Amino acid sequence: MVSYKKLGLVNTKKMFAKAVKGGYAIPAFNFNTMEQMQAIIQAAVETKSPVIMQVSKGARKYANPTILRYMAEGAVQYAKELGCKKPQIVLHLDHGDSYETCKSCIDSGFSSVMIDGSSLPFKENIKLTKKVVNYAHKHDVTVEAELGVLAGVEDEVSAAESHYTKPEEVVEFATKTGCDSLAISIGTSHGAYKFTAAQCTRDPKTGKLVPPPLAFDVLKAIEKKLPGFPIVLHGSSSVPQDCVDTINKFGGKLPDAVGIPEEQLRKAAKSAVCKINIDSDSRLAMTAAIRKHFAEHPDHFDPRQYLTPAREAMKEMYIHKIVKVLGSNNKL
Ligand code: G3H
Ligand code: 13P
Ligand code: ZN
């Protein structure tokens, strides 16, 4: 058993309370590689922002759970080395799909876990979430749960269409489970294709898709039922069109990739939404930089040559999100 406290990590409790009160959101960035980790920490330190580094089941499979855990421990030391005396870094399990996975993460030093029972019937979701909460709270680890289903693929949880969270269920769910935060469905979804062309209109000037607005009425109704309770938004990449255009220009093929407009995330961050999950934008920033680099330097084959601009592009993107979208800068 390794306690996250020994690794210098923190849980989300105080962080979320402060964010809800202050009208901003904490960035939750997924990481699979060293370069992503470095870029996340550089961005958080430069902007003096708390940060959640999250690990999916896929990331655990790709990078190995032990390595990721040591990378998170290294991240804390790295932040200190970069001049941040007291970094606030959370190591979070993203979309935990079972009690066993959550327990294994808690036992190996995670400070926060998500148990994603959103595909289960309501009562079973409560039962599973409560079981995870009981174990996590014994170790002062915070738990994110989910109600409502996002469109697209949620790791093992797949749903063809989005089912918004039902505001009338949230009080019973939060009370019975004792979860610390709640991921809700208000129209976001995972990946770089958040909406079909049929769900969007098209900008006649640029030819780009214009997505429909998020269901802020549902968010409002949830906030009314659970005043001050930390709300989480998954699937919140904006799918920056400059990245998409660069990828397409240099041999990629991402037609009609579309995300959540940043002004909508800005609006959400000012509400009880205190954690915003971003993964795809990091993938896009990295891919765009690498494709451009290879096109301009066909003779390069040292990974450091193309991973350096990729890391820089991700860092810039993270800083932009923190400062211009979530507002978590200078909140340490
Ligand atoms: O919610 C999904 C995250 O973007 C993680 O994706 O399972 O491909 O690592 P992944
Ligand atoms: P995006 O695919 O929009 O980046 O969402 C990431 C996410 O929700 C991770 O849990
Ligand atoms: Zn997610």
Side-chain angles (χ1 to χ4, degrees), residues 11-230:
N11 70 21
T12 59
K13 196 115 201 145
K14 280 189 198 151
M15 204 182 263
F16 283 174
K18 217 177 138 193
V20 173
K21 253 192 168 172
Y24 61 93
I26 310 289
F29 298 131
N30 289 68
F31 79 109
N32 293 260
T33 71
M34 181 187 75
E35 288 75 17
Q36 281 175 313
M37 181 276 271
Q38 291 170 319
I40 292 169
I41 295 303
Q42 289 169 10
V45 169
E46 277 185 33
T47 57
K48 298 185 174 58
S49 172
V51 73
I52 298 172
M53 297 181 62
Q54 52 187 18
V55 166
S56 69
K57 191 179 171 189
R60 279 162 58 88
K61 193 170 163 212
Y62 173 77
N64 174 285
T66 310
I67 288 177
L68 286 170
R69 203 269 283 167
Y70 278 99
M71 271 167 73
E73 186 176 355
V76 176
Q77 297 312 317
Y78 183 45
K80 288 183 181 167
E81 220 175 85
L82 292 178
C84 180
K85 285 198 182 96
K86 264 193 153 188
Q88 285 178 31
I89 302 172
V90 173
L91 177 60
H92 175 77
L93 169 67
D94 191 25
H95 293 284
D97 61 351
S98 69
Y99 170 78
E100 289 71 26
T101 307
C102 291
K103 181 177 181 302
S104 140
C105 286
I106 293 165
D107 291 350
S108 73
F110 280 60
S111 56
S112 173
V113 292
M114 174 189 191
I115 177 68
D116 183 354
S118 60
S119 65
L120 299 172
F122 184 65
K123 287 215 162 86
E124 281 174 48
N125 189 358
I126 290 181
K127 198 173 155 197
L128 175 61
T129 302
K130 193 172 161 40
K131 191 174 171 190
V132 172
V133 168
N134 286 345
Y135 186 75
H137 284 184
K138 272 189 207 146
H139 301 280
D140 209 13
V141 167
T142 38
V143 178
E144 175 184 326
E146 180 166 338
L147 251 190
V149 181
L150 272 65
V153 176
E154 298 201 3
D155 281 2
E156 299 295 293
V157 184
S158 110
E161 55 181 273
S162 165
H163 300 283
Y164 291 162
T165 306
K166 296 188 180 95
E168 62 275 20
E169 289 184 347
V170 297
V171 173
E172 185 183 349
F173 187 83
T175 314
K176 287 193 172 159
T177 61
C179 65
D180 301 282
S181 60
L182 185 65
I184 60 164
S185 170
I186 57 165
T188 62
S189 69
H190 292 104
Y193 291 87
K194 300 199 184 297
F195 303 99
T196 62
Q199 291 172 302
C200 301
T201 52
R202 207 175 274 278
D203 184 325
K205 274 196 201 134
T206 60
K208 297 275 187 189
L209 293 179
V210 181
L214 298 178
F216 280 100
D217 53 331
V218 175
L219 173 60
K220 239 187 207 159
I222 292 169
E223 280 188 278
K224 217 170 163 188
K225 298 268 184 194
L226 288 175
F229 194 81

